[in-house]
C-alpha cells in the first residue's frame, strides 16, 4: 500500500489516449497546457482530437461548450487553479447553466504546486463549483481510481469537474480490487470509534492515520469520499450513527469543501461532533507539498494527532 | 416575388416583430428596449432570409447556429422566434410572469435557442467551439454570433477572436450591433472601440461594414460573406439604439427603459403607420 505509483493526471491521460484511439468522438481542449496535463503523447498520436486555444482559459471553456453542443465528447484540461477561478463564470454559464456535457479535468489542484505560491494553489474549487446546479465533482484518491473514473466519463451524460493532483500518489486500490460508482463513497476500513473521511490525496494519509490509531486501540473507520457532488449522504449518516464522531480531511480550504459537505449532512440529520482538517483561512506557507501537508496536519501524523486531540476534547467535555 | 417585394416583405415582418417586442416589454414592464430595437433588424434579416433553421427540425445536425451574445436583447429575439414558429404567441405572452420559460436573457430551454447566456463576452468563444465542431464533423453549417458594441470591452472576446482566425473559421460570422451607446454613455466615452475595423482586421478577420438599420444593405452584406476564404467574418452593423421609435432613438435612458402608456401608444402609432405604408406598397 505504501508503494508510490503515478500521478492521477498521468493515469487520466494514459487512459483517455487509449479510449480516444477507439472513440473518435473524444476531443481534448486545452490552453497551452498539454505538457502540464501530460497530454504530449496524446497530442502526438491523435493531433486531430486535440484543440489548443493558447493561454486563454475562459475561451477554452466556451470553445469546449461549443464543440460539445455539436455532439462531441469534450474534455477540457488544464491547471485546476486557473480553470476554476479565471474561467469560473464560463463554467457557471456555458456549462452548468446551459447543461452542456463537458468534462473539466483540473490538474495540479490543492497545494500540488508547492512553493509556486497562492496563484497556483487551488483550494476554493469544491466550495465554488458545488454551488452551480448540475455539475458533479470528483476527486480521485489514486491512479487506479483515476483510471476507473476516466473510463466512465466519455459516456457519462452530465457535466463533471474532476480534481486531480500533480504528484505521484501511493496506491490505495488495485486493478482487480476497485469499485467505483459516482456518488457512492468507498469505506476502506471498517471502524467503530470514529470515522475519518478523506478525499483525493488525503485518503492515503487517512488510512495511515487509522493504522497509527489502531496501535492506540482506537478503531477508526476510513471513507474515501471520491465524489463531492453528489455526495454520499447515506455513508456519512451511517458513520455518524455507528461511530458517533467524524473527522474530515481535505487538501482544500476548511470553508465550503468536504468538511462543509459532511457537516451540512450531519448537522441537519444526526448531529455528532465533527472536526474539519484542511487549509485554514490564510495564504499557504511556502514549502513542498509534503511539507505543507505536515504543516497543516493533513498528513498521516497530523491526522493521527488531531484525532487524538479531538477524542480528548470530547472526553473532557463529557466529564 | 421580385427582389423588391422580398425586401418589402422582410421589412414588413421586421416591423411587425418590432411592434410585438414593444408589446412584450410594455406588458411585462421589463426589457432592454434600446438594444432590442437596434438588434431587431439584424435578427430579422438573419432569421427570415439567411439562417438555415427550422422549428420543425430543431435538432438537425447541419442547421446553422445562432448565438445572441448580447443576451439582453432577448425580447427582440423572442419576437423573431415567435414569428418563425419556434415559440407560440401564448408562450411569448408569459414573458415576465411567474415561472415563465422565457427568461430575461437566453435560456437553452427555449425552443430555437442553442445555449444559455446573458453574461457578456461568452458568445464568441462558444461560436468558435461550434464552428470547430462543424469542421470536425465536416458539416457545412454556419455559426452567427451577435455581440453588442459595449460588449467588446470584455477581454474574453479577444481570446476567441484570436482562436477564430488561428483555426481559419470561415464559417463563423460575428456581427456587432454598433449602435454607439452602452448603459452609461457612448462607447467612445466609456472605452473607445475605434478604429474598430482596423482592430479586427489586425486580428485576422474579414471585416465588413454595413448599415444595420437598412434591411436592403444589411441583406446584401450578409449575402456577400465569403465562406471559403479561411477567415472568420466580422460585420460591423451600424445601427441606431432605439431604432424605429422617434423619441427612443439615440437616447441612453432607453437602454432598459419601459414605456409609459402614452409612450407605448405613440410608439405603436409610429410603427403601425410604417406597417400600413409597407402593406400598401407590396404588390401582391
Amino acid at each position: 500500500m505504501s508503494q508510490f505509483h503515478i500521478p492521477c493526471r498521468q493515469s487520466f491521460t494514459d487512459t483517455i489516449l487509449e479510449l480516444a484511439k477507439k472513440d473518435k468522438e473524444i476531443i481534448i481542449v486545452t490552453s497551452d497546457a498539454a505538457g502540464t496535463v501530460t497530454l504530449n503523447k496524446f497530442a502526438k498520436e491523435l493531433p486531430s482530437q486535440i484543440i489548443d486555444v493558447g493561454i486563454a482559459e475562459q475561451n477554452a471553456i466556451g470553445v469546449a461548450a461549443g464543440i460539445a453542443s455539436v455532439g462531441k465528447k469534450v474534455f477540457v484540461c488544464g491547471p485546476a487553479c486557473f480553470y476554476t477561478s479565471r474561467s469560473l463564470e464560463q463554467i457557471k454559464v456555458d456549462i452548468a447553466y446551459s447543461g452542456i456535457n463537458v468534462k473539466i479535468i483540473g490538474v495540479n489542484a490543492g497545494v500540488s504546486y508547492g512553493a509556486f505560491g497562492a496563484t497556483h494553489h487551488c483550494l476554493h474549487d469544491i466550495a465554488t463549483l458545488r454551488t452551480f446546479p448540475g455539475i458533479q465533482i470528483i476527486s480521485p484518491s489514486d491512479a487506479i481510481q483515476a483510471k476507473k473514473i476516466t473510463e466512465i466519463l466519455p459516456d457519462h451524460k452530465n457535466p463533471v469537474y474532476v480534481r486531480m493532483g500533480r504528484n505521484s500518489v501511493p496506491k490505495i486500490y488495485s486493478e482487480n480490487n476497485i469499485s467505483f460508482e459516482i456518488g457512492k463513497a468507498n469505506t476502506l476500513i471498517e471502524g467503530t470509534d470514529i470515522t475519518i473521511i478523506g478525499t483525493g490525496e488525503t485518503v492515503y494519509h487517512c488510512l495511515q492515520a487509522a493504522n497509527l490509531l489502531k496501535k492506540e486501540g482506537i478503531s477508526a473507520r476510513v471513507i474515501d469520499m471520491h465524489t463531492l457532488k453528489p455526495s454520499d449522504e447515506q455513508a456519512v449518516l451511517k458513520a455518524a450513527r455507528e461511530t458517533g464522531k467524524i473527522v474530515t480531511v481535505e487538501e482544500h480550504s476548511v470553508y465550503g469543501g468536504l468538511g462543509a459537505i459532511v457537516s451540512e449532512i450531519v448537522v441537519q440529520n444526526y448531529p455528532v461532533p465533527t472536526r474539519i482538517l484542511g487549509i485554514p483561512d490564510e495564504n499557504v506557507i511556502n514549502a513542498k507539498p509534503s511539507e505543507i501537508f505536515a504543516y497543516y496536519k493533513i498528513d498521516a501524523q497530523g491526522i493521527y494527532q488531531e484525532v487524538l486531540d479531538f477524542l480528548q476534547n470530547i472526553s473532557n467535555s463529557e466529564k | 416575388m421580385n427582389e423588391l417585394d422580398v425586401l418589402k416583405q422582410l421589412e414588413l415582418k421586421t416591423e411587425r416583430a418590432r411592434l410585438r417586442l414593444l408589446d412584450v416589454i410594455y406588458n411585462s414592464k421589463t426589457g432592454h428596449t434600446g438594444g432590442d430595437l437596434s438588434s431587431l433588424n439584424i435578427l430579422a434579416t438573419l432569421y427570415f432570409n439567411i439562417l438555415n433553421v427550422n422549428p420543425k427540425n430543431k435538432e438537425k445536425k447541419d442547421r446553422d447556429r445562432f448565438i445572441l451574445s448580447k443576451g439582453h436583447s432577448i425580447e427582440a429575439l423572442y419576437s423573431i422566434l415567435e414569428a418563425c414558429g419556434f415559440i407560440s404567441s401564448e408562450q411569448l405572452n408569459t414573458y415576465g410572469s411567474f415561472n415563465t420559460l422565457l427568461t430575461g436573457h437566453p435560456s437553452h430551454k427555449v425552443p430555437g435557442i442553442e445555449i444559455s447566456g446573458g453574461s457578456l463576452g461568452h458568445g464568441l468563444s462558444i461560436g468558435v467551439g461550434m464552428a470547430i465542431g462543424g469542421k470536425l464533423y465536416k458539416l457545412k453549417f454556419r455559426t452567427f454570433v451577435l455581440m453588442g458594441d459595449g460588449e467588446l470591452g470584455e477581454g474574453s472576446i479577444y481570446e476567441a477572436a484570436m482562436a477564430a482566425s488561428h483555426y481559419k473559421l470561415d464559417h463563423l460570422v460575428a456581427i456587432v450591433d454598433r449602435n454607439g451607446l452602452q448603459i452609461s454613455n457612448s462607447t467612445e466615452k466609456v472605452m473607445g472601440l475605434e478604429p474598430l475595423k482596423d482592430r479586427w482586421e489586425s486580428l485576422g478577420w474579414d471585416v465588413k461594414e454595413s448599415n444595420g438599420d437598412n434591411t436592403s444593405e444589411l441583406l446584401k452584406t450578409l449575402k456577400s460573406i465569403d465562406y471559403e476564404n479561411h477567415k472568420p467574418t466580422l460585420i460591423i452593423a451600424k445601427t441606431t439604439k432605439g431604432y424605429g421609435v422617434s423619441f427612443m432613438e439615440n437616447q441612453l435612458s432607453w437602454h432598459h427603459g419601459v414605456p409609459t402608456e402614452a409612450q407605448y401608444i405613440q410608439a405603436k402609432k409610429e410603427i403601425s403607420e410604417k406597417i400600413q405604408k409597407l402593406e400598401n406598397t407590396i404588390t401582391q
Side-chain angles (χ1 to χ4, degrees):
Chain A
M1 206 156 76
S2 63
Q3 183 198 348
F4 275 75
H5 196 46
I6 56 169
C8 290
R9 59 186 171 138
Q10 181 74 60
S11 178
F12 161 74
T13 48
D14 289 350
T15 310
I16 202 72
L17 174 59
E18 291 314 308
L19 294 172
K21 280 179 188 167
K22 291 177 220 135
D23 185 351
K24 296 294 166 195
E25 296 296 291
I26 293 174
I27 298 292
I28 302 274
V29 173
T30 190
S31 46
D32 193 29
T36 306
V37 185
T38 62
L39 279 165
N40 284 336
K41 195 170 172 216
F42 189 108
K44 204 172 163 199
E45 292 191 25
L46 300 174
S48 63
Q49 285 173 260
I50 183 164
I51 305 289
D52 193 333
V53 299
I55 304 170
E57 294 83 8
Q58 297 176 81
N59 191 40
I61 297 285
V63 167
I67 298 174
S69 80
V70 181
K72 293 286 182 186
K73 300 170 184 175
V74 182
F75 288 73
V76 56
C77 310
C81 53
F82 307 132
Y83 273 90
T84 61
S85 52
R86 186 188 286 266
S87 41
L88 188 64
E89 196 191 50
Q90 277 77 9
I91 296 176
K92 173 188 163 195
V93 178
D94 307 348
I95 294 178
Y97 181 30
S98 296
I100 297 278
N101 189 9
V102 168
K103 307 301 182 309
I104 305 157
I105 309 296
V107 303
N108 306 354
V111 296
S112 296
Y113 276 116
F116 278 23
T119 50
H120 285 60
H121 295 149
C122 184
L123 301 166
H124 62 275
D125 49 343
I126 300 170
T128 47
L129 290 187
R130 65 186 283 252
T131 63
F132 296 165
I135 287 241
Q136 297 179 333
I137 304 172
I138 304 175
S139 170
S141 54
D142 79 351
I144 308 270
Q145 195 181 56
K147 178 174 189 278
K148 196 85 181 165
I149 292 165
T150 309
E151 286 167 352
I152 290 171
L153 288 182
D155 293 315
H156 180 63
K157 307 275 185 231
N158 203 87
V160 177
Y161 167 63
V162 187
R163 171 186 217 259
M164 297 181 188
R166 184 188 196 199
N167 306 307
S168 296
V169 286
K171 272 186 189 177
I172 289 169
Y173 299 96
S174 64
E175 289 275 4
N176 32 17
N177 185 18
I178 163 105
S179 70
F180 178 81
E181 191 184 322
I182 291 174
K184 190 156 174 34
N186 294 342
T187 300
L188 301 178
I189 300 178
E190 291 293 351
T192 51
D193 298 330
I194 189 165
T195 300
I196 308 172
I197 306 178
T199 189
E201 292 185 25
T202 65
V203 173
Y204 170 76
H205 297 280
C206 295
L207 287 169
Q208 297 294 96
N211 287 337
L212 294 172
L213 290 164
K214 197 175 171 187
K215 289 174 191 157
E216 304 281 331
I218 297 164
S219 165
R221 180 176 301 187
V222 176
I223 294 177
D224 174 7
M225 188 71 92
H226 50 69
T227 309
L228 284 317
K229 190 183 172 190
S231 52
D232 189 343
E233 290 195 16
Q234 293 315 312
V236 173
L237 289 177
K238 190 165 180 281
R241 278 192 295 267
E242 293 175 2
T243 70
K245 304 160 214 75
I246 296 175
V247 169
T248 63
V249 192
E250 63 199 298
E251 190 186 350
H252 181 273
S253 166
V254 290
Y255 298 151
L258 174 66
I261 291 166
V262 169
S263 304
E264 288 159 14
I265 295 168
V266 166
V267 84
Q268 295 181 90
N269 298 284
Y270 193 90
V272 295
T274 301
R275 181 171 287 196
I276 298 169
L277 304 184
I279 307 297
D281 189 25
E282 65 184 44
N283 288 320
V284 172
I285 192 167
N286 289 321
K288 294 186 188 73
S290 59
E291 293 168 338
I292 296 171
F293 268 54
Y295 182 80
Y296 293 110
K297 295 190 169 178
I298 56 172
D299 68 343
Q301 191 62 34
I303 298 165
Y304 164 71
Q305 286 167 4
E306 285 286 330
V307 169
L308 290 181
D309 181 65
F310 181 51
L311 291 174
Q312 189 62 53
N313 278 2
I314 294 168
S315 163
N316 290 345
S317 66
E318 282 169 353
K319 276 176 193 164
Chain B
M1 270 197 285
N2 63 37
E3 209 174 295
L4 192 64
D5 279 351
V6 169
L7 201 59
K8 293 287 170 204
Q9 286 286 1
L10 174 55
E11 288 177 4
L12 180 60
K13 286 203 276 188
T14 306
E15 292 312 312
R16 285 177 178 154
R18 195 180 309 278
L19 206 53
R20 185 65 169 126
L21 84 85
L22 281 169
D23 265 350
V24 167
I25 292 172
Y26 177 70
N27 290 331
S28 65
K29 303 287 178 244
T30 180
H32 286 80
T33 313
D36 278 339
L37 291 170
S38 65
S39 296
L40 185 75
N41 205 27
I42 300 166
L43 292 166
T45 309
L46 281 173
Y47 272 86
F48 296 144
N49 285 66
I50 301 290
L51 293 179
N52 163 31
V53 290
N54 182 350
K56 292 194 181 96
N57 196 356
K58 292 191 286 285
E59 301 300 318
K60 203 163 162 273
K61 200 109 183 152
D62 67 348
R63 69 188 182 279
D64 287 333
R65 267 65 169 182
F66 174 75
I67 301 164
L68 184 67
S69 193
K70 54 169 307 203
H72 52 289
S73 291
I74 192 69
E75 297 87 8
L77 180 59
Y78 285 153
S79 71
I80 298 294
L81 290 177
E82 180 200 46
C84 292
F86 282 97
I87 57 174
S88 67
S89 297
E90 291 73 33
Q91 275 178 312
L92 185 48
N93 289 339
T94 68
Y95 185 66
S97 65
F98 176 74
N99 204 20
T100 176
L101 182 69
L102 308 184
T103 44
H105 289 88
S107 160
H108 69 285
K109 293 186 177 164
V110 176
I113 294 183
E114 298 282 349
I115 195 154
S116 297
S119 176
L120 298 173
H122 287 228
L124 195 58
S125 291
I126 296 162
V128 167
M130 287 174 172
I132 290 174
K135 277 179 94 165
L136 290 170
Y137 279 118
K138 298 191 169 46
L139 294 169
K140 291 282 179 198
F141 70 78
R142 303 161 299 175
T143 302
F144 294 83
V145 181
L146 179 58
M147 300 185 287
D149 49 3
E151 183 183 359
L152 299 183
E154 294 284 4
S156 53
I157 288 174
Y158 303 92
E159 295 181 1
M162 284 197 287
S165 58
H166 181 83
Y167 283 105
K168 302 181 172 44
L169 302 178
D170 50 17
H171 280 52
L172 176 66
V173 180
I175 304 169
V176 179
D177 179 0
R178 183 76 175 109
N179 62 34
L181 295 177
Q182 54 193 101
I183 192 164
S184 60
N185 214 324
S186 75
T187 58
E188 297 319 284
K189 282 201 174 132
V190 175
M191 186 50 63
L193 296 172
E194 297 297 341
L196 190 55
K197 187 171 190 278
D198 295 350
R199 287 183 178 186
W200 282 75
E201 278 176 346
S202 76
L203 286 164
W205 286 59
D206 186 9
V207 183
K208 297 171 186 293
E209 291 176 301
S210 190
N211 180 349
D213 294 335
N214 182 308
T215 303
S216 166
E217 199 182 308
L218 185 61
L219 191 57
K220 211 177 286 170
T221 307
L222 284 165
K223 287 190 170 170
S224 73
I225 294 167
D226 182 349
Y227 294 104
E228 283 167 11
N229 65 356
H230 306 296
K231 279 179 161 194
T233 296
L234 180 83
I235 296 173
I236 302 170
K238 290 183 179 159
T239 59
T240 306
K241 198 153 181 169
Y243 183 75
V245 179
S246 60
F247 58 90
M248 293 180 180
E249 289 186 358
N250 285 319
Q251 300 299 315
L252 271 181
S253 60
W254 284 101
H255 179 84
H256 46 39
V258 173
T260 61
E261 188 182 1
Q263 288 169 326
Y264 172 62
I265 290 167
Q266 175 62 27
K268 253 179 109 160
K269 187 169 168 274
E270 288 183 20
I271 299 164
S272 299
E273 280 170 8
K274 203 167 173 187
I275 290 173
Q276 191 63 55
K277 220 182 266 176
L278 282 163
E279 282 174 345
N280 291 342
T281 57
I282 290 171
T283 49
Q284 63 174 34

